Amino acid sequence: MINRDNQVGIKHFWSFIVLYLGYMLLFADRTVMNISLAYIGKDFHVGAAALGATASAFFLGYTLMQIPGGYLTDLLGSKRMVIIALIAWSAMTMVTGLAWSLASLIVIRFLFGIAEGPYPSAALKRISENYGKKVKSQATSALISSNYAGAAIAPLIIVPIIANSSWQQAFIWLGLGGIVITLVYYLLERPLKSIRKEVAARPQIKWQNIDRRVWAFVIIGLALNVITKGLEAWMPVYFLREQGINLKNLAWLVPLPVISGGIAAFSAGFIMVHLFKHRERWLITIASLLTLVFMFGLFKSSSLVWIVIFEVLIYFVKSLAFTGIFSFTAQILSEKSYGSSIGIVNFGGQLGGFIGPLLIGEIVQFTSSYSAAFLGLVFSAVLAVLACLFIRRV
């Protein structure tokens, strides 16, 4: 029995590693797109608002797919849905490199978002199935930290490809990486459960019975991701155009805030379980409040040093709050409908991902000022703090 338990534990460990790498790759794509925006604008001769629409097109498809993706995860099973999402993602990544106009790129990115949409619910449900309640929150936050790891590592690998070749080649190489990860995951997780068994066991979501805190999490996730995705999409463009930083220096500058966010995400579950046990809402509230404070500091900053410092601090506290939402929901959501429920929570965050780049693009286009765009993100932080007031104790 001990030997079998060890084998199961080892398999779960490697499953976590592959899911982590898959999540990293998915978020690496977004960083590549953010870095590529300036070159896309030059190639297709478009302005800030159009580039904002390109960045937001992905998040529109990704957002719309969160709830259906969660339902499909419960319907088909987490392992099968992970494979489907990775295959679709890899295909759309390579197709992105073949875009011939801005209009085609916007359509491709929208379909890209739909293809990637089911992955979070599927991956997080697989973690929930593999780990017990005592470590589920920590495993959840550790998996989410892959988002930041992918975004941090991507510039170091992809920037040389863009500089020496093209942004199109970068996407083609990412797609090939996705195919490799898909194959490894399939070989690791065989055999897959039958669809019939999953259908027979699947629950129905009763919207009226959903924990009311989930709706607060939807708003908080939305507001926080407006900040994150707005900064992710436009800070590289801001550094290139306004601060005059060259592409090679951008390769080490862009990952700094993301590394900070990754450290916070990885530790969020541990902090919540060990330092905020039975006070989980306070971790989310305090981190959201600090996000507001540091976002205001970024708005008031004019020197490059302070801009980078405040961006690093924003990513750290925002990541604590955002990952804290998922660590908390891992404790309170029903196991049987976990995929569908986490899709609802993630819907809010990804809706913010759609709004953020578009909002900043429109503000910059209208005011010709990045400071005005940063002020818009300050108001988003205010919304996150207000939503925290609705997180009640059990």
Side-chain angles (χ1 to χ4, degrees):
M1 178 64 69
I2 294 177
N3 186 40
R4 176 171 173 79
D5 289 343
N6 287 338
Q7 289 178 344
V8 171
I10 292 172
K11 183 176 180 179
H12 289 170
F13 171 77
W14 285 111
S15 176
F16 176 89
I17 294 298
V18 178
L19 288 171
Y20 192 94
L21 291 174
Y23 231 145
M24 280 182 61
L25 207 60
L26 266 60
F27 272 74
D29 153 75
R30 305 177 194 188
T31 302
V32 173
M33 174 55 69
N34 297 337
I35 294 174
S36 300
L37 280 177
Y39 297 91
I40 292 171
K42 185 177 181 180
D43 287 349
F44 295 148
H45 308 290
V46 294
L51 292 177
T54 302
S56 291
F58 165 83
F59 286 103
L60 177 59
Y62 190 68
T63 300
L64 293 176
M65 198 59 189
Q66 288 308 303
I67 296 177
Y71 174 80
L72 289 173
T73 295
D74 288 333
L75 176 66
L76 302 177
S78 59
K79 292 190 286 187
R80 183 176 280 103
M81 207 61 226
V82 165
I83 291 172
I84 292 172
L86 283 174
I87 291 174
W89 176 88
S90 301
M92 294 309 302
T93 303
M94 289 187 283
V95 171
T96 300
L98 303 177
W100 60 91
S101 66
L102 181 69
S104 68
L105 184 60
I106 290 175
V107 172
I108 290 169
R109 293 298 290 179
F110 174 76
L111 296 175
F112 199 133
I114 291 178
E116 186 177 321
Y119 189 87
S121 296
L124 289 170
K125 179 166 184 174
R126 190 64 191 145
I127 292 298
S128 178
E129 292 167 343
N130 287 345
Y131 294 94
K133 189 173 183 179
K134 290 184 179 180
V135 296
K136 190 184 299 184
S137 293
Q138 297 176 61
T140 298
S141 66
L143 182 64
I144 294 176
S145 73
S146 62
N147 304 175
Y148 300 92
I153 294 173
L156 303 178
I157 300 174
I158 299 299
V159 164
I161 296 177
I162 297 176
N164 297 321
S165 181
S166 66
W167 60 270
Q168 291 94 337
Q169 287 293 320
F171 284 104
I172 291 174
W173 280 106
L174 274 178
L176 293 174
I179 292 174
V180 172
I181 288 179
T182 304
L183 179 60
V184 172
Y185 187 77
Y186 171 75
L187 295 174
L188 178 67
E189 291 285 22
R190 291 181 302 169
L192 303 180
K193 294 180 180 179
S194 69
I195 296 179
R196 181 173 297 176
K197 182 177 180 180
E198 292 290 343
V199 171
R202 81 180 189 273
Q204 298 292 328
I205 298 178
K206 296 182 179 179
W207 294 88
Q208 67 273 19
N209 294 336
I210 293 176
D211 192 302
R212 286 180 294 177
R213 287 169 293 189
V214 167
W215 302 114
F217 295 156
V218 169
I219 301 301
I220 296 169
L222 186 155
L224 292 176
N225 244 18
V226 165
I227 296 172
T228 303
K229 303 309 178 186
L231 292 178
E232 283 181 2
W234 285 101
M235 288 306 284
V237 179
Y238 170 73
F239 287 140
L240 285 168
R241 292 183 176 178
E242 299 294 316
Q243 296 291 334
I245 297 173
N246 61 43
L247 186 62
K248 291 183 178 179
N249 289 335
L250 201 65
W252 69 265
L253 185 59
V254 169
L256 291 180
V258 180
I259 292 171
S260 173
I263 293 172
F266 190 83
S267 58
F270 179 87
I271 293 173
M272 177 171 285
V273 170
H274 293 279
L275 300 181
F276 286 86
K277 189 174 183 179
H278 305 307
R279 298 186 299 274
E280 292 87 354
R281 60 179 180 148
W282 286 111
L283 172 62
I284 299 170
T285 302
I286 293 170
S288 297
L289 183 61
L290 289 174
T291 301
L292 171 60
V293 172
F294 296 143
M295 192 64 239
F296 184 77
L298 177 63
F299 163 65
K300 297 295 290 184
S301 298
S302 57
S303 70
L304 177 62
V305 172
W306 280 107
I307 287 172
V308 173
I309 289 175
F310 277 116
E311 192 185 4
V312 168
L313 292 173
I314 289 167
Y315 269 69
F316 186 86
V317 293
K318 174 268 166 191
S319 180
L320 277 180
F322 189 77
T323 310
I325 291 172
F326 288 88
S327 295
F328 196 14
T329 52
Q331 300 178 24
I332 66 177
L333 290 182
S334 169
E335 185 70 38
K336 292 182 179 180
S337 61
Y338 188 84
S340 301
S341 300
I342 205 70
I344 296 171
V345 175
N346 206 30
F347 172 81
Q350 303 316 316
L351 183 61
F354 165 69
I355 295 172
L358 194 61
L359 176 66
I360 288 191
E362 292 292 342
I363 293 176
V364 172
Q365 185 84 4
F366 181 75
T367 65
S368 299
S369 170
Y370 281 92
S371 293
F374 295 154
L375 180 60
L377 298 185
V378 171
F379 286 108
S380 184
V382 172
L383 177 61
V385 173
L386 293 177
C388 288
L389 300 177
F390 293 91
I391 306 177
R392 304 299 183 187
R393 295 183 62 182
V394 178

